[in-house]
Amino acid sequence: MKAIIIENYGGKEQLKEVQIDIPKANAKQVVVEVKATSINPIDWKLREGYLQQMMDWPFPIILGWDVAGIISEVGEEVTEWKVGDKVFARPETTRFGTYAEFTVVDQHLLAKIPANISFEEAAAVPLAGLTAWQALVDHGKLKKGETVLIHAGAGGVGTYAIQLAKNIGAKVITTASEKNHDLLVGLGADQVIDYKTENFVDILDGVDLVLDTMGGEIQNESFKVLKPLTGRMISIVGLTDEEVRKQYDVEFESIWLEPNGQELAEIANLMSVGTVKSIIGAQFPLTQKGIYDAHELSETHHAIGKIVIVTE
């Protein structure tokens, strides 16, 4: 099968198209024929070597941790899935990722793709959608009537977070450049702050939950808008400054995504009825150049929604 691998850490020139054997499923896994995958910042951060201490894997490494496709093989202990099922997943984080024509997924991480959702739309969801879900629901405990500030609303996590927060019944505030305001209002944002011309700290107060996708000074400033005592911040990029955090009587938690097939199935249900949709800003083929160009776009931090890779 075709796969895009890296054999060393470094720049985009390390991405290499090769032919390797199709993987085999163990007893509780399935093999998925990949129809689409998508790009996430973890992909190029790992490629650059930034995550080497956390994921000290031998080369070659196949990047990519989103998949949508068709089951082509099932392990002997798999009972809920069969060959031909259309599925999507955020597989476990291993060195055998999804920039390939086939990939292996543990059975409990799979979810069925709704009939009205394309492979491309499904492939955009798992990592970013589950990150948004876990930040808002599992860790943020967002409730109906509360106010949430979602930074970088036009990004991959942001576009899903806006829709999920709206579905919960929260007041949704987000930051984005002016050209993306209409898109985010359409997804359910009640207020969009133009980060280029406005300072959210001057505008907001008494926010219940902040979803921090940025870190740095934006994280530090976000503590100022949280409601004392009950306010909480969930960050997907880690704590910037412990001394700053100590100045505020609010909750702070840094989270790392946990692959979860049941939660993905809940998002699938919301997609099937039109409550949640994928925003695909760009699409590239599964080739060495396609992945190179996709990484290049992702590294700008200005991609709209998700960047999807298609195998054919």
Side-chain angles (χ1 to χ4, degrees):
M1 69 171 184
K2 177 170 68 176
I4 313 299
I5 66 168
I6 58 169
E7 296 175 309
N8 292 286
Y9 293 121
K12 293 178 286 295
E13 68 280 356
Q14 297 297 337
L15 294 160
K16 182 178 177 184
E17 187 174 321
V18 297
Q19 289 289 324
I20 58 174
D21 292 338
I22 294 174
K24 292 287 184 188
N26 71 21
K28 296 181 179 180
Q29 293 178 320
V30 307
V31 176
V32 177
E33 180 185 357
V34 180
K35 294 298 185 180
T37 179
S38 81
I39 306 293
N40 297 285
I42 185 180
D43 301 6
W44 51 264
K45 288 178 181 177
L46 198 149
R47 188 205 74 220
E48 290 277 2
Y50 298 141
L51 303 178
Q52 186 177 354
Q53 283 185 304
M54 188 185 297
M55 302 166 192
D56 189 16
W57 297 329
F59 293 106
I61 295 169
I62 304 173
L63 302 169
W65 292 279
D66 282 321
V67 64
I70 300 171
I71 293 177
S72 61
E73 179 196 337
V74 295
E76 57 193 31
E77 293 179 25
V78 173
T79 56
E80 292 184 26
W81 305 98
K82 64 184 186 302
V83 171
D85 284 348
K86 294 181 178 181
V87 295
F88 66 139
R90 196 302 192 181
E92 290 291 359
T93 312
T94 73
R95 71 183 182 98
F96 301 107
T98 58
Y99 292 2
E101 291 178 311
F102 293 85
T103 197
V104 169
V105 184
D106 297 341
Q107 62 173 346
H108 69 283
L109 299 181
L110 295 163
K112 189 171 186 280
I113 299 177
N116 59 330
I117 303 299
S118 69
F119 288 119
E120 291 84 355
E121 290 166 323
V125 175
L127 193 150
L130 284 172
T131 298
W133 180 285
Q134 291 175 12
L136 297 174
V137 179
D138 299 347
H139 299 276
K141 304 285 192 284
L142 184 64
K143 300 179 188 67
K144 182 178 181 180
E146 289 191 318
T147 298
V148 59
L149 169 60
I150 297 165
H151 282 297
V157 173
T159 52
Y160 292 114
I162 289 169
Q163 297 174 82
L164 292 172
K166 198 64 191 174
N167 184 60
I168 289 168
K171 178 184 178 183
V172 182
I173 305 168
T174 191
T175 58
S177 59
E178 188 179 7
K179 65 181 169 60
N180 295 321
H181 284 206
D182 288 347
L183 168 66
L184 302 187
V185 169
L187 292 179
D190 297 290
Q191 183 177 356
V192 187
I193 296 170
D194 183 354
Y195 67 87
K196 292 182 178 177
T197 61
E198 301 173 295
N199 187 340
F200 70 92
V201 178
D202 298 333
I203 299 170
L204 302 178
D205 189 34
V207 171
D208 296 292
L209 176 65
V210 170
L211 173 49
D212 168 43
T213 62
M214 305 292 288
E217 196 55 34
I218 290 174
Q219 181 187 104
N220 290 342
E221 292 287 286
S222 294
F223 284 108
K224 298 177 182 177
V225 306
L226 280 169
K227 193 177 286 184
L229 299 178
T230 59
R232 55 241 186 242
M233 187 188 305
I234 304 297
S235 178
I236 62 172
V237 291
L239 179 61
T240 298
D241 191 326
E242 174 68 26
E243 292 306 311
V244 171
R245 188 191 71 80
K246 286 177 180 175
Q247 296 171 29
Y248 299 92
D249 192 8
V250 297
E251 292 180 37
F252 176 90
E253 187 179 1
S254 177
I255 68 168
W256 186 261
L257 170 72
E258 292 289 334
N260 189 309
Q262 287 183 310
E263 290 179 345
L264 194 57
E266 292 195 57
I267 298 174
N269 288 337
L270 294 175
M271 295 182 78
S272 70
V273 295
T275 301
V276 171
K277 63 181 178 180
S278 293
I279 303 300
I280 299 173
Q283 196 166 294
F284 297 92
L286 182 71
T287 61
Q288 185 170 314
K289 184 179 188 307
I291 299 291
Y292 183 104
D293 291 344
H295 277 218
E296 187 169 60
L297 176 57
S298 179
E299 287 173 35
T300 68
H301 298 283
H302 291 296
I304 308 302
K306 289 303 303 286
I307 302 165
V308 168
I309 305 296
V310 292
T311 55
E312 53 187 36

